[in-house]
Amino acid sequence: MIGGLFIYNHKGEVLISRVYRDDIGRNAVDAFRVNVIHARQQVRSPVTNIARTSFFHVKRSNIWLAAVTKQNVNATMVFEFLYKMCDVMAAYFGKISEENVKNNFVLIYELLDEILDFGYPQNSETGALKTFITQQGIKSQHHTKEEQSQITSQVTGQIGWRREGIKYRRNELFLDVLESVNLLMSPQGQVLSAHVSGRVVMKSYLSGMPECKFGMNDKIVIDKQSRASSEDGGKSGKQSIAIDDCTFHQCVRLSKFDSERSISFIPPDGDYELMRYRTTKDIILPFRVIPLVREVGRTKLEVKVVIKSNFKSSLLAQKIEVRIPTPLNTSGVQLICMKGKAKYKASENAIVWKIKRMAGMKESQVSAEIELLPTNDKKKWTRPPISMNFETAIKPEPTAQTRPTTDLQPRTRTTQPRTRPHRPPAQNQTTQPRTRPTQTSSPEPEPHSPEPDPHRPPAQNQNHTAQNQTHTDLQPRTRTTQPRTRHTQTCSPEPEPHSPESDPHRPPAQNQNHTAQNQTHTDLQPRTRTSSS
Amino acid sequence: MTDSKYFTTTKKGEIFELKAELNSDKKEKKKEAVKKVIASMTVGKDVSALFPDVVNCMQTDNLELKKLVYLYLMNYAKSQPDMAIMAVNTFVKDCEDPNPLIRALAVRTMGCIRVDKITEYLCEPLRKCLKDEDPYVRKTAAVCVAKLHDINAQLVEDQGFLDTLKDLISDSNPMVVANAVAALSEIAESHPNSNLLDLNPQTINKLLTALNECTEWGQIFILDCLANYTPRDDRESQSICERVTPRLSHANSAVVLSAVKVLMKFMEMLPKDLDYYGTLLKKLAPPLVTLLSAEPELQYVALRNINLIVQRRPEILKHEMKVFFVKYNDPIYVKLEKLDIMIRLASQANIAQVLAELKEYATEVDVDFVRKAVRAIGRCAIKVEQSAERCVSTLLDLIQTKVNYVVQEAIVVIKDIFRKYPNKYESVIATLCENLDSLDEPEARAAMIWIVGEYAERIDNADELLESFLEGFHDESTQVQLQLLTAIVKLFLKKPTETQELVQQVLSLATQDSDNPDLRDRGYIYWRLLSTDPVAAKEVVLAEKPLISEETDLIEPTLLEELICHIGTLASVYHKPPSAFVEGSRGVQHKRLPGSAGSGDSVDSPDTASAAGVSEAPPAVIPSQGDLLGDLLNLDLTPPTATGPPPAPSSGLQMGAMDLLGGGLDSLLGGDLGGSPALGAGFGAPPAAMPASFNAPVSGGLDDLFDLGGGVGMPMGSYSPPKTVWLPAMKAKGLEISGTFARRAGVIQMEMTLTNKAMSVMTDFAIQFNRNSFGLAPAGPLQILTPLSPNQSIEAALPLSTVGPVMKMEPLTNLQVAVKNNIDVFYFSCQYPISMLFVEDGKMERQVFLATWKDIPNDNESQFQIKDCHLNSDAASNKLQGSNVFTIAKRTVEGQDMLYQSMKLTNGIWVLAELRVQTGNPNYTVSLKCRAPEVSQCVFQSYEAMLKN
């Protein structure tokens, strides 16, 4: 099990050190600093073994968290614990920074004492922890006996994530569906792999111990139902999604899901992620981003980026922002764009192109001439992807595509609200292309190039990688008429200076291959309001 | 209020100031001071001098302050054990506190204070807390037992805490159950053979019930514990699997991986034709793929585990190749692992996609990643024959990029491709040769030199190329030097006329100017070969090499099985067994997968089953120096082709190889010694010591011997029983052995008659004993100097010593013997009379006799009747004396002669006897007393035999 837990700042100074096991000595603190934090080369593995001691680390901003052990521990558990530890700390004091850690070190020690005993993780649900680990330094008498046993039974109980006796005047439940689409395209534009990973994030403000049920238009369930109701003519308008896999928050009764495919749970209070899912069927890209990169000599680069909106022309994308990374040795950029505004931001090493709104089935482009400083820097440019963000306002057509039976039944003595929130169609996922154009070979000379450099390396294959990411936020609010969607899309061209040679009269030939990879985040946010009757 | 200010106190005299503050009357000031102390402690300053002052702050009702003081105590108690005692009272008092949080805090902290005296005081409070009414206290106490066990294992056992802990498995609170399971599992690890975690269907059921109710962490403890259980049959296995599968949907990856571990293990027991087996296989893939959407660190752990799972059960993920394609923003460690798995999943069906990806990767920025991608292309070529051509052309494209490290990697893998597909792609050699000058890494240089040497006849200027390498011969690494030597010799054998000078040059460089013994030896071997018999040299050096097989980097199967049992743990991340990185006894026990269920398909071993999933034959694991077999002389030239992952490069392989060697050596040695024991003796080692070394191997074969020496209570001569047939000719290919034992002049002799009833001459006799009760062993080799002709008999007397290895036999005087001749090895067993072992100085002093007689408890006395014996007491006494049974005293009571006798066995055991002879009565009564009562029966049998002959 975990033998010790250390927190360091970026310099490697230890901020928190808690040792749980006798086999971990003070020297372990230094071993990690010297071998990992101060190590010159990039860290090649999150697990390091130094002198038969294993170190697991994660980084949050510039803070290092390291768990140490000499035994054959469950490595997955250790990482899960470190993340959890970060969540708990964030829930108590916000961002994990050196400042915050130092300011709350007493609290952190108290937490570490509670959530890790002899290296075994204990209940680490913030909801429960906050009932008895507070920053006020409460005196023990303050709790009555009933309160005490209530705390302990909650900490150890079956529903460790929720305390009893929560009361709200208004019972509310908010549900966001956030989706991101991952897509890998071959240079020929063929989709190699695509999947949507979705998260259902909830905010619940419900009284008592509400028993909730959540339904999905999951293919297995829908098929079962339509088979059962086939006599009614089984409306074909009902669309279902084949979900490849899903994982649930620990409040969901897994055995019930396994047997009945029903998601039933007693929710934690406040924010939490109810489930994640993954699906690989019917993925449509909202935008296509086509980068064209041409190298003109060693000091010049021509970039053209075309975006095509791929959704219904009745829809409108708003606040589009395309970010095109530029090489580190860029000295100046000249930009022309058909629509919107484009600016070169030297501090961010990128061209930022903003378009206020764009309808579906349209296209627009930006072209840039990038001046480069001659450099002999051997470090290659990593060619980050082009990224894109946008919002879309779409009309939800919820009734057609969602299961109308999402029952939320907070069971309390006083209230018995019942809602039927409409979930927008999950297949509104949008896609985003990661483009990886490759190979531009141009052995031709460049007419206006300066004196040929005898030491120049031979012509190089040009490789471009473009990566597109789209974030789509669909926010159909049940009470509002016009839900809005935000999309983010990223894509990247990576120009690399190529060297032209000889023949002054021919323009550089180009043949570009593209591999595109798209990522889209679609956020579906049906906000449901349950009011107490 | 910010606490960061505590970190900045660096003034001199700080300790003194803190001391004053700690003793302040103001509570607030005290607390501030303790915080400062903890901050100093954190950054590594020694604040142990403040121990008494800090402990004084312990008596407080402020929980926060109390916790800080406890934290301090845990850190420094060990260095100040005497003062730590001051804290005991507070702890004991806190354990009685009405607030369960405080009770738990006290017991939790006390367990962390590793001071013996405190530990003693801990026992009582702990006992109470284990039975506390509050589950929070019980779950803390459960872990505390593990803490205490770590400090003083004996104490925990003596106090009976283990039983209480076992009871907690049936606790009503799931978290208590989970912690009890965690504590018991940990304690059980340090007692590998104890049945601590008495896992039976009832407990398993309890655990499975708790699994649905406890926290995510508790689920991990329980699943990890379940994985150690071996179900009784496939039905039980299936029902556990059914109850574990829902865990695959848990948001916590550790729960998922631990569930995968249980399923992977229990699946071994399910019959492959079962529907459920297929369902389970299908259910395993999606959660594994989902793990790849987790945070990068978890992805890394997951990928290392998937690497194992894919090797064990390739069918699970064979359609999921695409999810392993690397993403732009994957950390490098994730990229490298994904690459490894892509190769494992590569097959004819998906090779085109894989190659396209690999080609992309080869143009990335990270050098390690690019290198690995290039190697991966080579591995694809070797693994999927249909793709070889495309791989080679891809590699050539990459060579054209002239990127130094890409070229070098490509050349290394092309060498392997040549080995796999000889006479197919040699046309590319010209392209390779163009890049000769850019090679600066030993591995690439060695590979290139190998290629030049191997295909010397097709390369016109091979001699020039090799000569160019020769210039800086002494600056090259050993790898390159050895390869160069071999390559030039190959070249010479192929083109002897032009290269004589070159070969002489390299031989002289290797033998005369080098300090490296390997190089020198190889040089001399070549030299001698070439000078004595060039034809033989050609046969040796240019021998045809066996093809290399497709997989050179698979984990050795037994290690893989063990690692599958460790899914999710560090062992699975390192791909090493826990014993390789864990100190001490913990976790060193080797875990094994259970065998497959007998129902229906007992023939179908898990190995073949998993291989059947992949249409191909099971890939043979070959040692990384695969070339070794083909080209002995190239022993360490051809480097392992395995591209191990960074943290544990190919270590699994080495271990496997070691295992192989160990086993092989043992059996080799065993076979040899068992087969020709005379050989061993012939070395002139002390004869008594020799048997020990080569007895063991024989014993195995002797275990199920037919019992020949059946004639137990055999009639006796004056000193030794008559010969009986020990080994009938029928059972020993014509060799008949009859024999007996005798004690002559203090030496035990095995007297045998060997008769050859076969048609051919027998020679080369040797004899060997299995371990026996009294350590009998041949004191010298069996002296049969002349060959034994057909129908001839020969007498042989073998002196025996009693210093051989000892093993208790049943019956006690049983002796298992192996006899070898030129035909075979034969085994038989016989019994020797125990009287052989009575030594000459077995006469006890009268007083001693009396004392000993009384001293030996009556339980050890046994009485026997000897019937129909017509000797008087004196005659009996004389007769027995001849066999070293000494009469110490004689009493006559009411016409009954009582003879008190003593004898001593070779191993120092005394046997005392009372022999009652009544005149006129042919029945004697013997009472035997001995500290080792098991010999009595044998001694009685000897008495009977001695008296009646």
Side-chain angles (χ1 to χ4, degrees):
Chain A
M1 286 307 115
I2 298 172
L5 207 140
F6 309 132
I7 301 180
Y8 301 85
N9 65 9
H10 66 287
K11 283 184 266 177
E13 291 165 354
V14 63
L15 304 176
I16 296 287
S17 104
R18 175 73 159 94
V19 173
Y20 293 94
R21 297 262 174 165
D22 201 38
D23 52 6
I24 301 300
R26 182 84 202 172
N27 51 355
V29 179
D30 303 322
F32 183 75
R33 176 188 16 249
V34 173
N35 290 287
V36 181
I37 301 182
H38 290 173
R40 291 261 171 89
Q41 75 271 44
Q42 200 192 343
V43 178
R44 307 302 267 191
S45 157
V47 185
T48 326
N49 193 319
I50 307 162
R52 287 172 95 80
T53 310
S54 301
F55 295 82
F56 302 76
H57 73 263
V58 298
K59 260 189 103 174
R60 285 290 182 272
S61 64
N62 55 5
I63 295 292
W64 298 74
L65 279 92
V68 192
T69 185
K70 284 208 164 188
Q71 298 171 28
N72 183 30
V73 295
N74 187 325
T76 336
M77 184 186 79
V78 175
F79 280 123
E80 283 284 1
F81 176 79
L82 287 174
Y83 300 139
K84 195 70 176 190
M85 177 75 205
C86 293
D87 291 348
V88 170
M89 288 197 292
Y92 268 96
F93 53 76
K95 190 171 176 277
I96 297 168
S97 63
E98 179 172 354
E99 183 75 16
N100 279 343
V101 170
K102 277 185 172 176
N103 281 341
N104 294 285
F105 84 97
V106 173
L107 169 75
I108 295 174
Y109 275 125
E110 207 175 326
L111 287 171
L112 282 177
D113 197 44
E114 186 58 44
I115 61 179
L116 208 52
D117 191 6
F118 201 42
Y120 291 104
Q122 304 293 305
N123 192 336
S124 49
E125 287 299 315
T126 11
L129 289 172
K130 279 191 170 172
T131 58
F132 67 105
I133 295 185
T134 55
Q135 281 170 288
Q136 277 88 51
I138 33 135
K139 292 181 180 158
S140 48
Q141 296 98 322
H142 281 197
H143 288 294
T144 63
K145 204 167 176 199
E146 291 79 61
E147 277 170 347
Q148 286 161 5
S149 68
Q150 198 187 319
I151 289 171
T152 56
S153 75
Q154 193 210 332
V155 174
T156 58
Q158 289 185 27
I159 306 160
W161 53 87
R162 186 181 182 91
R163 67 194 161 85
E164 285 190 42
I166 300 174
K167 281 207 178 86
Y168 286 100
R169 281 182 55 219
R170 265 207 323 214
N171 284 302
E172 287 182 306
L173 186 78
F174 299 92
L175 184 147
D176 291 354
V177 181
L178 306 155
E179 293 192 329
S180 71
V181 181
N182 273 284
L183 181 97
L184 188 66
M185 245 187 232
S186 76
Q188 289 74 35
Q190 180 199 357
V191 175
L192 293 178
S193 89
H195 73 265
V196 175
S197 47
R199 297 158 59 212
V200 177
V201 180
M202 301 191 91
K203 265 183 202 180
S204 60
Y205 306 105
L206 301 172
S207 308
M209 281 289 176
E211 177 78 30
C212 297
K213 256 184 163 180
F214 178 74
M216 285 191 298
N217 39 352
D218 177 1
K219 197 163 197 287
I220 299 178
V221 182
I222 301 277
D223 287 355
K224 219 186 270 174
Q225 283 180 348
S226 60
R227 227 174 294 140
S229 62
S230 52
E231 300 97 49
D232 315 344
K235 275 183 189 167
S236 55
K238 232 183 211 180
Q239 286 188 27
S240 58
I241 308 164
I243 287 180
D244 290 26
D245 187 37
C246 39
T247 59
F248 296 99
H249 185 271
Q250 61 169 322
C251 65
V252 176
R253 291 184 190 88
L254 294 180
S255 31
K256 203 156 185 187
F257 177 75
D258 194 55
S259 54
E260 304 166 20
R261 299 285 287 189
S262 79
I263 304 166
S264 65
F265 57 100
I266 295 172
D269 198 42
D271 295 357
Y272 59 100
E273 184 181 292
L274 180 72
M275 69 176 286
R276 290 183 182 215
Y277 58 88
R278 188 164 45 80
T279 160
T280 44
K281 301 272 150 34
D282 307 325
I283 296 159
I284 309 150
L285 308 176
F287 274 99
R288 287 201 69 172
V289 178
I290 305 145
L292 294 163
V293 181
R294 201 165 67 120
E295 287 171 37
V296 189
R298 295 191 70 215
T299 55
K300 205 170 162 194
L301 203 64
E302 282 179 14
V303 179
K304 194 166 92 175
V305 177
V306 181
I307 55 170
K308 285 183 184 169
S309 53
N310 221 3
F311 43 86
K312 277 186 218 159
S313 48
S314 59
L315 298 177
L316 208 60
Q318 292 177 319
K319 293 182 190 170
I320 301 160
E321 185 188 295
V322 182
R323 186 171 283 262
I324 306 155
T326 54
L328 303 175
N329 55 341
T330 303
S331 61
V333 179
Q334 279 150 19
L335 289 157
I336 308 162
C337 61
M338 290 160 39
K339 216 175 172 190
K341 277 181 194 164
K343 247 186 203 169
Y344 168 62
K345 294 194 173 170
S347 59
E348 296 165 37
N349 278 314
I351 297 164
V352 180
W353 177 26
K354 286 181 177 169
I355 303 169
K356 275 192 181 154
R357 58 178 64 88
M358 186 169 169
M361 310 311 280
K362 291 269 160 61
E363 89 174 59
S364 182
Q365 72 169 48
V366 67
S367 30
E369 274 187 22
I370 301 171
E371 301 284 341
L372 301 173
L373 290 172
T375 173
N376 47 10
D377 196 355
K378 277 182 190 162
K379 214 182 152 192
K380 264 187 167 176
W381 184 39
T382 56
R383 302 184 296 228
I386 292 180
S387 63
M388 179 170 180
N389 283 284
F390 60 93
E391 288 180 10
T392 328
I394 55 162
K395 268 185 197 159
E397 305 163 58
T399 39
Q401 283 153 342
T402 38
R403 281 178 70 201
T405 51
T406 314
D407 294 354
L408 299 166
Q409 307 190 347
R411 277 186 202 145
T412 48
R413 297 267 157 84
T414 48
T415 55
Q416 187 70 287
R418 197 176 160 86
T419 18
R420 292 177 175 239
H422 295 301
R423 229 171 57 87
Q427 57 270 66
N428 268 353
Q429 304 122 4
T430 26
T431 352
Q432 150 273 353
R434 161 188 99 171
T435 328
R436 265 194 316 192
T438 24
Q439 277 207 342
T440 317
S441 51
S442 64
E444 288 82 8
E446 207 261 294
H448 308 293
S449 69
E451 296 94 36
D453 184 348
H455 299 295
R456 218 184 304 139
Q460 282 189 356
N461 285 345
Q462 233 183 351
N463 303 322
H464 305 266
T465 308
Q467 193 169 33
N468 307 353
Q469 284 178 347
T470 321
H471 300 273
T472 321
D473 289 356
L474 304 172
Q475 305 192 340
R477 286 182 200 132
T478 27
R479 295 277 157 95
T480 52
T481 41
Q482 266 272 332
R484 308 173 68 185
T485 321
R486 212 181 328 120
H487 291 264
T488 327
Q489 192 156 12
T490 337
C491 109
S492 91
E494 3 161 354
E496 195 184 275
H498 75 113
S499 48
E501 272 139 57
S502 60
D503 193 16
H505 298 297
R506 253 204 295 165
Q510 250 196 3
N511 69 54
Q512 270 193 336
N513 300 333
H514 302 264
T515 319
Q517 188 193 29
N518 304 0
Q519 283 179 351
T520 318
H521 301 274
T522 318
D523 295 354
L524 307 171
Q525 301 199 341
R527 296 234 160 133
T528 321
R529 192 174 275 188
T530 330
S531 51
S532 54
S533 48
Chain B
M1 186 193 78
T2 65
D3 286 344
S4 58
K5 59 177 186 277
Y6 304 118
F7 281 89
T8 54
T9 50
T10 48
K11 289 172 287 179
K12 276 187 185 171
E14 185 191 1
I15 299 275
F16 187 75
E17 266 178 37
L18 281 174
K19 206 178 179 81
E21 283 175 39
L22 285 170
N23 292 314
S24 152
D25 294 333
K26 287 180 189 156
K27 278 187 179 172
E28 220 24 62
K29 203 158 193 183
K30 254 189 188 177
K31 197 166 132 189
E32 296 286 287
V34 175
K35 282 188 182 178
K36 279 184 201 163
V37 172
I38 300 294
S40 305
M41 191 176 86
T42 300
V43 296
K45 277 183 218 157
D46 182 16
V47 284
S48 59
L50 296 166
F51 199 92
D53 310 283
V54 177
V55 173
N56 273 340
C57 303
M58 198 170 159
Q59 282 284 11
T60 171
D61 47 11
N62 184 317
L63 206 54
E64 192 188 13
L65 180 58
K66 196 182 251 311
K67 283 180 180 172
L68 286 174
V69 175
Y70 280 179
L71 190 63
Y72 180 90
L73 262 176
M74 286 186 258
N75 256 311
Y76 288 113
K78 216 173 156 190
S79 57
Q80 311 248 350
D82 294 331
M83 279 197 275
I85 292 297
M86 291 161 53
V88 164
N89 270 337
T90 319
F91 280 125
V92 175
K93 211 179 116 212
D94 279 358
C95 286
E96 306 278 335
D97 197 279
N99 184 342
L101 291 173
I102 293 189
R103 292 203 296 276
L105 178 66
V107 82
R108 185 165 68 211
T109 313
M110 243 175 136
C112 295
I113 297 177
R114 306 176 64 91
V115 174
D116 283 344
K117 285 176 195 159
I118 291 207
T119 323
E120 289 165 25
Y121 286 101
L122 174 61
C123 291
E124 275 321 300
L126 179 58
R127 200 185 312 283
K128 271 186 207 155
C129 289
L130 280 167
K131 304 215 159 122
D132 200 284
E133 54 168 19
D134 195 291
Y136 184 77
V137 180
R138 289 202 301 276
K139 72 112 184 161
T140 312
V143 176
C144 189
V145 175
K147 291 179 188 170
L148 189 58
H149 187 268
D150 194 41
I151 304 170
N152 190 341
Q154 194 57 46
L155 187 69
V156 170
E157 279 166 46
D158 295 347
Q159 297 278 334
F161 286 139
L162 294 183
D163 294 323
T164 325
L165 203 52
K166 276 189 207 165
D167 294 343
L168 289 185
I169 289 190
S170 315
D171 200 278
S172 58
N173 184 295
M175 193 154 175
V176 177
V177 177
N179 275 3
V181 166
L184 275 173
S185 304
E186 177 168 343
I187 295 170
E189 257 180 36
S190 47
H191 298 275
N193 297 321
S194 72
N195 198 19
L196 247 186
L197 254 172
D198 181 27
L199 291 177
N200 53 47
Q202 286 76 39
T203 26
I204 292 294
N205 201 30
K206 282 175 197 156
L207 294 184
L208 287 169
T209 310
L211 188 62
N212 286 327
E213 294 165 351
C214 64
T215 66
E216 46 192 333
W217 313 115
Q219 296 184 19
I220 300 168
F221 306 153
I222 291 177
L223 287 168
D224 284 351
C225 173
L226 271 180
N228 291 326
Y229 176 66
T230 309
R232 286 164 312 171
D233 51 34
D234 52 326
R235 215 168 291 158
E236 190 187 5
S237 188
Q238 179 176 346
S239 82
I240 295 177
C241 286
E242 277 165 359
R243 293 178 69 177
V244 166
T245 21
R247 298 296 120 197
L248 294 175
S249 300
H250 203 285
N252 188 316
S253 312
V255 176
V256 176
L257 262 187
S258 290
V260 168
K261 166 164 60 189
V262 174
L263 296 175
M264 281 292 286
K265 198 177 164 189
F266 288 10
M267 246 165 100
E268 299 287 340
M269 298 192 61
L270 297 177
K272 311 288 174 291
D273 46 2
L274 198 69
D275 286 346
Y276 182 70
Y277 179 82
T279 320
L280 199 55
L281 274 183
K282 272 190 212 118
K283 277 190 174 171
L284 275 172
L288 289 174
V289 173
T290 299
L291 290 176
L292 299 182
S293 316
E295 289 86 346
E297 289 88 358
L298 280 176
Q299 280 186 48
Y300 173 73
V301 176
L303 286 164
R304 295 290 287 170
N305 279 289
I306 289 171
N307 200 329
L308 299 173
I309 293 168
V310 161
Q311 288 184 59
R312 181 76 193 161
R313 297 197 176 276
E315 63 271 33
I316 295 178
L317 288 167
K318 66 179 171 192
H319 298 304
E320 302 287 352
M321 168 64 88
K322 287 170 179 174
V323 300
F324 298 103
F325 289 172
V326 304
K327 290 190 195 145
Y328 168 82
N329 48 356
D330 280 336
I332 183 67
Y333 49 81
V334 169
K335 284 185 180 174
L336 292 172
E337 292 306 318
K338 281 188 173 172
L339 201 50
D340 245 2
I341 293 167
M342 280 170 68
I343 298 304
R344 297 218 189 283
L345 292 176
S347 67
Q348 203 182 333
N350 55 25
I351 194 71
Q353 280 182 350
V354 174
L355 264 182
E357 281 293 303
L358 291 177
K359 207 173 163 184
E360 291 292 331
Y361 304 162
T363 61
E364 289 258 352
V365 177
D366 189 282
V367 176
D368 281 354
F369 182 59
V370 171
R371 282 173 178 274
K372 199 164 184 174
V374 175
R375 289 214 174 198
I377 295 173
R379 278 163 67 188
C380 280
I382 291 168
K383 194 175 175 195
V384 186
E385 190 164 352
Q386 294 80 359
S387 75
E389 200 160 338
R390 278 155 78 184
C391 294
V392 171
S393 76
T394 308
L395 288 169
L396 284 179
D397 285 351
L398 292 171
I399 288 176
Q400 297 303 343
T401 63
K402 305 279 178 192
V403 178
N404 189 279
Y405 52 85
V406 173
V407 174
Q408 309 212 38
E409 285 299 326
I411 286 181
V412 172
V413 293
I414 285 178
K415 180 209 70 188
D416 289 339
I417 296 176
F418 284 168
R419 285 293 310 274
K420 171 80 179 176
Y421 310 108
N423 304 317
K424 233 175 153 180
Y425 300 111
E426 281 76 7
S427 52
V428 308
I429 290 175
T431 321
L432 302 185
C433 289
E434 286 166 18
N435 295 285
L436 214 58
D437 298 333
S438 64
L439 307 179
D440 54 9
E441 288 161 23
E443 204 183 346
R445 285 172 84 87
M448 191 66 224
I449 293 169
W450 182 87
I451 292 172
V452 174
E454 189 67 21
Y455 300 101
E457 68 274 22
R458 308 183 195 194
I459 304 169
D460 295 337
N461 59 344
D463 49 342
E464 283 168 35
L465 294 176
L466 292 176
E467 200 171 358
S468 69
F469 282 105
L470 210 54
E471 282 161 20
F473 187 78
H474 288 297
D475 301 327
E476 300 282 3
S477 70
T478 313
Q479 190 185 11
V480 180
Q481 288 177 333
L482 287 167
Q483 194 59 268
L484 193 52
L485 172 61
T486 307
I488 292 179
V489 171
K490 281 182 189 164
L491 173 68
F492 172 71
L493 289 168
K494 288 173 178 176
K495 300 179 183 173
T497 46
E498 311 119 69
T499 55
Q500 202 157 7
E501 206 172 300
L502 194 61
V503 82
Q504 269 168 357
Q505 201 184 341
V506 76
L507 286 175
S508 110
L509 278 170
T511 54
Q512 282 157 29
D513 303 338
S514 170
D515 294 333
N516 185 322
D518 288 346
L519 186 62
R520 244 178 10 225
D521 285 357
R522 191 184 289 188
Y524 280 125
I525 290 171
Y526 282 143
W527 202 325
R528 189 138 323 156
L529 258 174
L530 292 173
S531 58
T532 48
D533 189 353
V535 180
K538 207 163 188 169
E539 272 170 29
V540 171
V541 180
L542 302 180
E544 199 166 310
K545 281 163 276 294
L547 297 184
I548 57 175
S549 75
E550 62 268 36
E551 293 284 346
T552 51
D553 60 339
L554 285 179
I555 293 175
E556 190 266 328
T558 47
L559 178 64
L560 180 63
E561 279 196 20
E562 187 178 353
L563 292 179
I564 289 287
C565 300
H566 287 293
I567 282 177
T569 69
L570 263 182
S572 72
V573 175
Y574 294 146
H575 289 185
K576 287 180 189 173
S579 52
F581 60 92
V582 175
E583 278 166 3
S585 60
R586 272 205 182 127
V588 179
Q589 334 155 31
H590 291 267
K591 295 189 180 175
R592 286 276 170 270
L593 292 174
S596 69
S599 66
D601 65 340
S602 53
V603 198
D604 199 356
S605 84
D607 265 332
T608 52
S610 64
V614 240
S615 73
E616 296 157 78
V621 181
I622 57 165
S624 39
Q625 300 96 333
D627 301 357
L628 168 154
L629 294 169
D631 188 353
L632 263 173
L633 299 166
N634 274 357
L635 196 61
D636 39 0
L637 296 199
T638 36
T641 44
T643 45
S650 69
S651 65
L653 212 63
Q654 285 163 12
M655 310 210 26
M658 245 150 67
D659 264 10
L660 222 75
L661 205 64
L665 216 61
D666 273 357
S667 59
L668 219 69
L669 221 60
D672 234 286
L673 288 174
S676 56
L679 199 83
F683 280 118
M690 275 318 288
S693 63
F694 55 87
N695 245 332
V698 185
S699 69
L702 281 176
D703 278 349
D704 48 357
L705 264 187
F706 39 93
D707 195 325
L708 251 182
V712 186
M714 12 179 186
M716 295 236 177
S718 54
Y719 291 106
S720 74
K723 283 183 176 167
T724 49
V725 176
W726 283 339
L727 182 69
M730 279 169 62
K731 295 192 175 174
K733 299 185 180 163
L735 175 68
E736 184 182 270
I737 299 176
S738 55
T740 181
F741 293 89
R743 189 178 182 94
R744 299 187 201 282
V747 178
I748 309 166
Q749 300 236 4
M750 185 170 172
E751 298 177 345
M752 289 176 288
T753 308
L754 288 82
T755 311
N756 182 353
K757 294 191 172 172
M759 306 299 287
S760 57
V761 178
M762 292 177 182
T763 55
D764 302 336
F765 287 95
I767 192 162
Q768 201 44 62
F769 293 176
N770 192 7
R771 281 183 284 179
N772 52 68
S773 315
F774 295 95
L776 283 178
L782 184 60
Q783 299 283 344
I784 299 174
L785 301 172
T786 50
L788 193 60
S789 321
N791 283 323
Q792 198 192 358
S793 285
I794 198 164
E795 300 287 326
L798 181 72
L800 304 182
S801 73
T802 53
V803 291
V806 174
M807 182 176 80
K808 197 178 171 194
M809 300 295 291
E810 193 56 47
L812 209 58
T813 54
N814 194 20
L815 180 67
Q816 298 177 328
V817 183
V819 169
K820 182 214 151 223
N821 64 9
N822 57 334
I823 298 166
D824 205 348
V825 183
F826 310 106
Y827 304 98
F828 62 88
S829 69
C830 53
Q831 289 193 5
Y832 47 92
I834 202 164
S835 58
M836 293 300 111
L837 304 172
F838 297 163
V839 295
E840 280 68 24
D841 62 344
K843 184 159 186 172
M844 214 177 220
E845 288 294 311
R846 285 185 130 191
Q847 298 307 319
V848 182
F849 183 91
L850 268 174
T852 316
W853 185 271
K854 283 181 190 157
D855 200 36
I856 298 174
N858 284 336
D859 295 349
N860 284 11
E861 183 172 341
S862 31
Q863 255 191 19
F864 304 93
Q865 293 283 326
I866 300 172
K867 289 180 181 160
D868 294 329
C869 190
H870 303 283
L871 294 168
N872 65 22
S873 60
D874 285 338
S877 173
N878 282 337
K879 204 161 188 177
L880 291 171
Q881 180 118 22
S883 299
N884 294 338
V885 178
F886 300 97
T887 306
I888 292 159
K890 183 180 164 188
R891 231 164 25 123
T892 311
V893 182
E894 297 164 9
Q896 198 176 30
D897 289 337
M898 323 264 270
L899 298 173
Y900 295 94
Q901 298 173 317
S902 75
M903 59 223 96
K904 187 177 148 191
L905 300 181
T906 47
N907 57 0
I909 294 178
W910 285 92
V911 183
L912 311 186
E914 183 197 63
L915 185 66
R916 271 181 264 175
V917 184
Q918 197 151 26
T919 341
N921 186 345
N923 294 349
Y924 294 4
T925 309
V926 195
S927 299
L928 293 172
K929 255 190 164 181
C930 177
R931 287 189 205 276
E934 49 278 48
V935 302
S936 300
Q937 179 67 33
C938 299
V939 172
F940 160 69
Q941 284 166 3
S942 285
Y943 255 86
E944 197 168 30
M946 287 183 290
L947 288 172
K948 286 187 178 170
N949 285 291

